[in-house]
């Protein structure tokens, strides 16, 4: 695609104390696309997302979003700028109702009518959340909590949503369902998506453009339709010979 980048990482390095988790990552996400970062356990995928959303400050490099430098800005400012993060493990508020979890996602907004419309919109994507609206989120199944986490992020009306391993712990059937809805949200709302996944098969089918991360470095990138045809990807990520 030739659309302008909504997000650019230039030479980003992040570490946990002495442990270098990402070592000079440069990547772009184009407006309107679904981009994915694939890689094995511990490659640094979650660290990339945490660094983008301001949970972790990079040691080096820069991050720009919608043409603005957001490097090391605080997470609330980054949400207000239009970027929402769905963390690994969902992290819903277990004692709050489903509805209150959703409203927490909209805490940066003051347009009540818009918030009410977006609540309807997320119920349109995930009907089960309407049924469970009054229940504590902790009583939802893992798949429903993932749906809630995605919906909570949408309640901020993001232009870009970061999704950390939405398939984690879910059945293949539920994973497929959630991916289909993510694609619909992208197509219907125009929300750009950056998805990190160990499930390469699902990610390469849903996404337009992909990066492969190993040991904190990008080792390959291409359109997903081309990545799917590469021998290394077939062998190491798709389990084909
Ligand atoms: P996973 O799918 O297991 O989350 P990942 O590709 O997302 O893998 P990261 O979670 O980004 O990988 O981890 C990258 C590296 O940083 C790993 O070596 C990991 O052990 C280390 N790491 C991650 N979080 C921390 C932390 N809070 N403290 C110390 N080291 C960490």
């Amino acid at each position: 695609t030739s659309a302008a980048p909504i997000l650019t990482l230039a030479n980003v390095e992040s570490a946990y104390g002495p442990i270098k988790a990402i070592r000079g990552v440069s990547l772009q996400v184009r407006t309107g696309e679904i981009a994915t970062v694939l890689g094995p356990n511990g490659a640094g995928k979650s660290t990339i997302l945490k660094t983008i959303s301001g949970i972790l400050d990079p040691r080096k490099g820069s991050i720009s979003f919608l043409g603005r430098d957001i490097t090391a800005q605080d997470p609330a400012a980054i949400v207000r700028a239009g970027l929402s993060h769905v963390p690994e493990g969902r992290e819903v508020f277990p004692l709050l109702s489903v509805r209150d979890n959703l409203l927490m996602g909209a805490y940066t907004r003051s347009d009540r009518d818009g918030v009410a419309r977006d609540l309807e919109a997320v119920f349109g994507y995930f009907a089960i959340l309407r049924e469970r609206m009054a229940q504590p989120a902790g009583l939802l199944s893992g798949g429903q909590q993932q749906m809630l986490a995605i919906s909570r992020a949408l309640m901020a009306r993001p232009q870009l949503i970061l999704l950390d391993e939405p398939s984690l712990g879910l059945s293949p059937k539920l994973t497929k369902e959630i991916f289909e809805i993510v694609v619909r949200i992208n197509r219907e709302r125009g929300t750009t998506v950056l998805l990190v996944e160990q499930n390469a098969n699902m990610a390469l089918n849903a996404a337009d453009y992909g990066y492969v991360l190993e040991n904190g470095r990008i080792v390959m990138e291409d359109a997903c339709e081309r990545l799917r045809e590469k021998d290394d990807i077939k062998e190491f990520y798709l389990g084909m010979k």
Side-chain angles (χ1 to χ4, degrees):
T1 47
S2 58
I6 188 169
L7 180 79
T8 303
L9 273 67
N11 242 320
V12 172
E13 293 186 20
S14 286
Y16 302 96
I19 302 164
K20 286 188 178 165
I22 55 174
R23 305 158 182 264
V25 165
S26 297
L27 64 79
Q28 290 197 334
V29 178
R30 290 162 196 83
T31 306
E33 78 176 352
I34 301 181
T36 186
V37 177
L38 306 174
N41 218 304
K45 303 181 300 297
S46 299
T47 303
I48 291 181
L49 298 194
K50 287 188 222 166
T51 307
I52 296 168
S53 63
I55 299 168
L56 193 64
D57 288 346
R59 298 271 170 97
K60 285 190 183 153
S62 65
I63 303 172
S64 78
F65 173 62
L66 287 171
R68 279 174 48 191
D69 184 16
I70 59 159
T71 317
Q73 275 196 4
D74 77 273
I78 291 173
V79 173
R80 277 195 301 273
L83 199 161
S84 293
H85 184 180
V86 182
E88 187 170 14
R90 3 280 191 206
E91 296 182 20
V92 301
F93 303 105
L95 300 178
L96 291 186
S97 69
V98 167
R99 186 168 184 279
D100 285 347
N101 268 272
L102 291 169
L103 293 176
M104 290 291 276
Y107 80 102
T108 56
R109 300 173 59 181
S110 51
D111 57 322
R112 282 160 166 262
D113 293 351
V115 170
R117 270 198 302 278
D118 283 337
L119 205 52
E120 281 306 307
V122 302
F123 291 150
Y125 289 113
F126 300 109
I128 189 75
L129 297 181
R130 189 200 299 277
E131 291 171 31
R132 301 287 156 87
M133 187 157 67
Q135 286 183 15
L139 295 181
L140 298 178
S141 71
Q144 291 163 356
Q145 290 190 15
Q146 184 63 59
M147 294 173 188
L148 177 57
I150 293 170
S151 300
R152 184 181 55 188
L154 288 176
M155 290 303 295
R157 257 201 178 252
Q159 303 203 45
L160 172 64
I161 186 164
L162 308 178
L163 286 182
D164 196 340
E165 301 241 9
S167 75
L168 193 76
L170 303 189
S171 69
K173 181 170 175 282
L174 257 177
T175 300
K176 187 164 171 280
E177 216 177 294
I178 286 181
F179 269 78
E180 282 169 1
I181 295 174
V182 168
V183 170
R184 271 185 58 207
I185 290 167
N186 167 257
R187 303 287 184 265
E188 295 172 7
R189 294 177 70 92
T191 312
T192 307
V193 178
L194 174 60
L195 163 76
V196 314
E197 258 300 340
Q198 285 192 54
N199 188 333
N201 193 27
M202 289 307 300
L204 286 174
N205 277 314
D208 303 297
Y209 199 84
Y211 295 87
V212 179
L213 188 73
E214 289 175 4
N215 283 317
R217 290 192 175 88
I218 306 260
V219 295
M220 204 186 289
E221 64 169 276
D222 212 333
C224 290
E225 59 190 357
R226 284 194 289 274
L227 282 179
R228 281 198 295 269
E229 298 308 318
K230 289 188 196 285
D231 288 338
D232 282 1
I233 298 284
K234 284 186 182 169
E235 186 174 348
F236 297 112
Y237 290 94
L238 298 174
M240 304 170 174
K241 282 266 297 209

